[in-house]
């Protein structure tokens, strides 16, 4: 069985080496990069199953690396950073990261998060009658195409992150059904470790902006106060 490859991008060599030792013990193939440009080049030229990215890196920071990667790839991304503010965490999630850990960290917890994200990612990418065999959803000018993981609004494509797509598809597949934040988090993030409620709310808020709900009378995502969220047909 092919070993899964993990890219560690961090300009602190000691930290990258420490993470690499623990991941290699788990059986993963580890690749390292010391700056953002090198990390992005590796993603473009090699098969990478998960990325661990520092934010403050030479040549290209972790935010920009993530933006560029999310234009083409869906693999899990974990930010590992000394930045501890809620703003930095939210920004990382909105850009397209799947997880955010702050330094100092415990290698055991990081490995647990890596394992959790890879289980979820590999499960979603197994050949099965899942999203790829379902027809597109269309309502109110909004078209959600699960085979291409593409969303258009009145013919114009909307750029959304993989997690935003999963949330939107989950809600749109069950119009009118109210999902609480715990259920949304469980369905989209699987068994990853997070403060689920805040994470879901951040992604819902960003989705609404991208769907231009503030400019349109029709609200695709309805808030049911004290309960959760539902999709309006």
């Amino acid at each position: 069985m092919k070993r899964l490859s993990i890219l560690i991008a961090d300009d602190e060599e000691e930290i990258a080496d420490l993470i690499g030792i623990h991941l290699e013990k788990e059986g993963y193939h580890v690749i390292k990069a010391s700056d953002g440009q090198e990390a992005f080049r590796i993603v473009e030229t090699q098969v990478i199953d998960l990325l661990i990215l520092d934010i403050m890196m030479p040549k290209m920071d972790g935010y920009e690396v993530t933006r560029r990667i999310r234009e083409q790839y869906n693999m899990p991304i974990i930010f590992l950073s000394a930045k501890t503010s809620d703003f930095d965490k939210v920004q990382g999630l909105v850009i397209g990261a799947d997880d955010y850990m702050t330094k100092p960290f415990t290698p055991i917890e990081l490995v647990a998060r890596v394992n959790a994200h890879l289980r979820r990612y590999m499960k979603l990418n197994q050949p099965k009658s899942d999203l790829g065999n379902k027809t597109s959803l269309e309502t109110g000018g909004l078209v959600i195409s699960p085979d291409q993981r593409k969303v258009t609004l009145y013919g114009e494509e909307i750029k959304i992150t993989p997690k935003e797509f999963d949330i939107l598809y989950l809600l749109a597949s069950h119009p009118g059904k109210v999902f609480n934040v715990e259920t949304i988090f469980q369905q989209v993030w699987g068994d990853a470790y997070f403060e689920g409620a805040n994470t879901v709310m951040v992604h819902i808020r960003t989705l609404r902006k991208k769907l231009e709900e503030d400019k349109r009378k029709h609200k695709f995502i309805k808030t049911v106060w004290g309960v959760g969220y539902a999709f309006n047909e």
Side-chain angles (χ1 to χ4, degrees):
M1 181 176 178
K2 174 184 173 292
R3 288 201 299 167
L4 298 179
S5 295
I6 297 177
L7 171 61
I8 304 169
D10 197 313
D11 60 333
E12 296 185 66
E13 186 177 349
E14 297 83 1
I15 291 180
D17 288 342
L18 175 63
I19 297 171
I21 290 170
H22 285 271
L23 291 176
E24 286 173 346
K25 287 181 180 179
E26 290 287 307
Y28 295 116
H29 173 56
V30 172
I31 304 168
K32 299 173 188 175
S34 58
D35 63 69
Q37 285 185 0
E38 182 184 9
F40 186 68
R41 179 187 59 78
I42 290 173
V43 170
E44 287 191 307
T45 57
Q46 301 186 45
V47 176
I48 301 298
D49 298 293
L50 182 142
L51 288 79
I52 299 173
L53 296 180
D54 187 19
I55 292 178
M56 302 302 293
M57 289 189 294
K59 299 182 181 179
M60 187 189 300
D61 66 26
Y63 291 141
E64 182 61 25
V65 173
T66 300
R67 288 191 190 95
R68 297 191 183 189
I69 287 173
R70 282 297 179 240
E71 292 177 356
Q72 305 176 59
Y73 307 100
N74 294 323
M75 76 283 282
I77 296 176
I78 299 176
F79 273 138
L80 184 63
S81 175
K83 290 176 172 286
T84 60
S85 72
D86 289 340
F87 174 80
D88 291 310
K89 294 178 182 179
V90 169
Q91 184 177 2
L93 294 172
V94 169
I95 289 171
D98 299 279
D99 206 339
Y100 193 112
M101 287 189 68
T102 56
K103 300 176 182 178
F105 63 97
T106 60
I108 293 176
E109 182 183 0
L110 177 58
V111 170
R113 295 193 187 201
V114 167
N115 290 338
H117 282 294
L118 283 172
R119 280 197 301 269
R120 174 70 174 168
Y121 178 67
M122 300 309 292
K123 182 178 179 181
L124 288 175
N125 285 274
Q126 287 178 355
K128 57 183 177 180
S129 57
D130 194 6
L131 293 181
N133 292 327
K134 292 184 179 179
T135 58
S136 297
L137 302 176
E138 301 184 28
T139 179
L142 181 69
V143 180
I144 307 170
S145 304
D147 54 343
Q148 300 173 304
R149 297 185 67 84
K150 177 181 177 182
V151 176
T152 60
L153 184 60
Y154 296 107
E156 294 187 10
E157 183 175 356
I158 299 174
K159 297 294 185 182
I160 64 176
T161 68
K163 288 294 186 289
E164 289 167 357
F165 181 92
D166 291 339
I167 292 173
L168 182 60
Y169 191 85
L170 173 66
L171 297 178
S173 298
H174 305 83
K177 179 178 178 179
V178 181
F179 289 85
N180 60 37
V181 291
E182 291 81 5
T183 300
I184 295 173
F185 179 75
Q186 184 179 24
Q187 292 290 321
V188 174
W189 276 268
D191 54 354
Y193 301 81
F194 253 143
E195 296 84 1
N198 290 334
T199 303
V200 171
M201 287 188 287
V202 167
H203 284 74
I204 293 284
R205 185 165 64 244
T206 307
L207 256 178
R208 283 174 162 161
K209 289 181 180 179
K210 292 180 178 180
L211 294 173
E212 299 183 341
E213 289 197 353
D214 55 335
K215 299 179 183 178
R216 304 179 188 275
K217 293 182 179 180
H218 184 73
K219 306 294 183 184
F220 292 107
I221 301 174
K222 177 176 67 174
T223 299
V224 182
W225 295 108
V227 184
Y229 302 95
F231 188 82
N232 272 328
E233 289 188 283

